[in-house]
Amino acid sequence: MKADQFALRDPLRGQALARALQRLAPERPVRIVHVCGTHEITISEHGLRHVLPEGVSVLEGPGCPVCVTSTVDLDRAVRLAEQGVAVCTFGDMMRVPGSRKTLDEARALGAPVHTVLSAADAVGLARKNPAQDVVFFAVGFETTAPGTAAVLLDDPPGNFSVLCSHKLIPPAVQKLVNMPGTGLDGLLAPGHVSTVIGAGAYAGLAGEHCIPVVVGGFEPLDVLYALLLLLRQVADGRAQVENAYPRAVSWEGNRQAQNLLATAFRVSDAKWRGIGEIPCSGLAVRAELSRFDAALKYDVPAVEGQEVVPGCRCADVLVARAVPSDCPLFGGECTPLTPVGPCMVGAEGACAVWHRHGERPAL
Amino acid sequence: MKVAAVEGNMATVEAGGVRARARLDALGEPVSLGDYLLVHAGFAIRRLDPGDAQETLRLLDELLAAGDEG
């Protein structure tokens, strides 16, 4: 396995791919959008933008799950913790600014906030402490949501519930297609979201909106290969779904995970930070499981708060209308140590990735 | 990550000397010792065949060879 991983970083093949990409220089500017923080890490870490032909830009859209979590949901989690409910969430979420404070700041002031690696860890905490109410603040896309569904359907204890902020990728991409200033000529579709939903989930995007879609993996050659297929589609005037990551993604996806999602959740409208409400883009706990729905169990009103502070361009970065270095705060007032906006937090935020790798390509 | 042990719907997996636990609820297929799993946030979401990386390389080489001729 390890040898194969290195093979997918083979510099000779990388150079051959780079030459093939150069031969596909477009006649007009081409914007390729990806929606996955891990793709951004591969692209930035390996400097892949430098081998793209002139006129091709690759931009991150709403692909960082903690960045797109609305402050309404985040503020609710902070309030629950301040009321003494043990709030468990993934580490990336801890330092994301809410409209009042971060979960990390609430913890520093004594609120019971715990980082977990899995929804199952939150259930474990609830079982160990039957007198303590435990809420799992569930963020993430289709890759992460099956785990939350699995614990909801696995007879969790009565002191456990879920504050559900899971979101769905295809409706968000659809939204980008229709937004002014965010037009895309191709989608580099996220590898592991697609493991769950299947490459077929993008058929409408290709068929109805004529957007070329290629599902890509996360090694440098995976990404270059996917970009090559995308540029070929653009050059040929085709719009199809192609799968450049067949070792982890099938056309149908993971049926078992899809069944878990359908059994535990219903599709709901959801608010995305910096983007606003997107119809049918979120998951909510089904009525049959409402006793485990923290939004119903606790009286924590959904209060509209400030999503993005003035001057911060996260809202544009999240829809691929700007790159991190376009923001006047980037690298000055806003750094990974002192994040102003959500995109500078965590491993997957576009600004955090650019800051780490010093990437400043021209748009 | 490579499966080192399986107990009910829980596997012990390891990669690069790191051991972790992974639930198998979301997988929908049986798992054997030595299998490779794609694990996300504590849940396996796909069984991987180590040979499939070679398949990706083969497809890529084919594509590049075809491009050189054209």
Side-chain angles (χ1 to χ4, degrees), chain A:
Chain A
M1 204 68 174
K2 204 160 203 172
D4 291 333
Q5 183 190 346
F6 288 129
L8 288 163
R9 298 181 179 191
D10 171 18
L12 287 179
R13 285 190 176 95
Q15 285 157 15
L17 276 165
R19 285 193 298 274
L21 281 164
Q22 288 298 330
R23 287 198 289 269
L24 287 169
E27 287 163 16
R28 55 175 183 85
V30 168
R31 282 164 52 92
I32 291 169
V33 171
H34 71 80
V35 283
C36 181
T38 313
H39 272 149
E40 187 54 43
I41 292 170
T42 303
I43 290 165
S44 291
E45 186 180 351
H46 297 278
L48 300 188
R49 286 191 176 89
H50 299 293
V51 303
L52 295 176
E54 202 168 318
V56 176
S57 47
V58 179
L59 304 150
E60 178 168 358
C64 158
V66 305
C67 306
V68 297
T69 301
S70 80
T71 49
V72 175
D73 291 347
L74 175 51
D75 289 349
R76 273 177 140 181
V78 169
R79 278 203 196 280
L80 277 172
E82 287 174 339
Q83 289 172 12
V85 175
V87 171
C88 300
T89 195
F90 299 121
D92 271 16
M93 199 69 227
M94 296 297 286
R95 294 197 309 127
V96 176
S99 69
R100 287 169 47 242
K101 58 178 76 148
T102 65
L103 283 164
D104 207 26
E105 286 161 352
R107 176 164 67 177
L109 293 167
V113 179
H114 303 261
T115 51
V116 290
L117 295 172
S118 154
D121 294 346
V123 174
L125 186 77
R127 284 196 204 285
K128 243 185 241 161
N129 303 279
Q132 166 74 57
D133 274 17
V134 174
V135 165
F136 177 56
F137 182 26
V139 298
F141 301 124
E142 292 93 331
T143 333
T144 321
T148 310
V151 301
L152 279 169
L153 297 169
D154 190 30
D155 195 21
N159 59 328
F160 173 82
S161 59
V162 170
L163 182 62
C164 193
S165 195
H166 283 307
K167 293 188 167 51
L168 305 174
I169 283 290
V173 175
Q174 197 102 339
K175 172 88 177 175
L176 286 197
V177 173
N178 300 322
M179 264 174 110
T182 60
L184 54 147
D185 302 300
L187 173 72
L188 170 59
H192 296 158
V193 164
S194 306
T195 298
V196 171
I197 66 177
Y202 307 99
L205 197 64
E208 288 159 34
H209 296 278
C210 298
I211 309 276
V213 179
V214 177
V215 181
F218 299 103
E219 292 297 330
L221 293 190
D222 286 325
V223 172
L224 290 174
Y225 175 39
L227 291 173
L228 183 65
L229 293 183
L230 274 169
L231 289 187
R232 285 196 164 192
Q233 285 200 41
V234 172
D236 298 348
R238 287 179 290 125
Q240 299 169 306
V241 181
E242 292 181 283
N243 184 1
Y245 195 30
R247 66 186 189 278
V249 175
S250 65
W251 183 258
E252 309 78 29
N254 177 338
R255 295 270 193 217
Q256 169 80 4
Q258 292 166 14
N259 287 339
L260 288 174
L261 293 179
T263 312
F265 300 120
R266 63 183 170 82
V267 173
S268 65
D269 297 345
K271 192 166 183 197
W272 294 58
R273 191 166 188 163
I275 301 175
E277 187 146 300
I278 304 179
C280 302
S281 69
L283 295 174
V285 179
R286 271 196 184 279
E288 302 88 294
L289 296 164
S290 60
R291 64 192 183 282
F292 302 117
D293 186 349
L296 300 174
K297 184 172 177 178
Y298 301 100
D299 183 24
V300 204
V303 181
E304 293 291 328
Q306 183 171 259
E307 293 275 324
V308 178
V309 302
C312 167
R313 293 201 63 192
C314 272
D316 290 325
V317 171
L318 285 171
V319 295
R321 202 152 41 195
V323 295
S325 54
D326 291 337
C327 179
L329 307 183
F330 178 77
E333 198 178 324
C334 185
T335 70
L337 286 177
T338 55
V340 175
C343 301
M344 190 56 95
V345 182
E348 294 193 277
C351 298
V353 174
W354 278 41
H355 196 275
R356 194 174 328 125
H357 296 292
E359 183 102 25
R360 283 174 186 74
L363 251 183

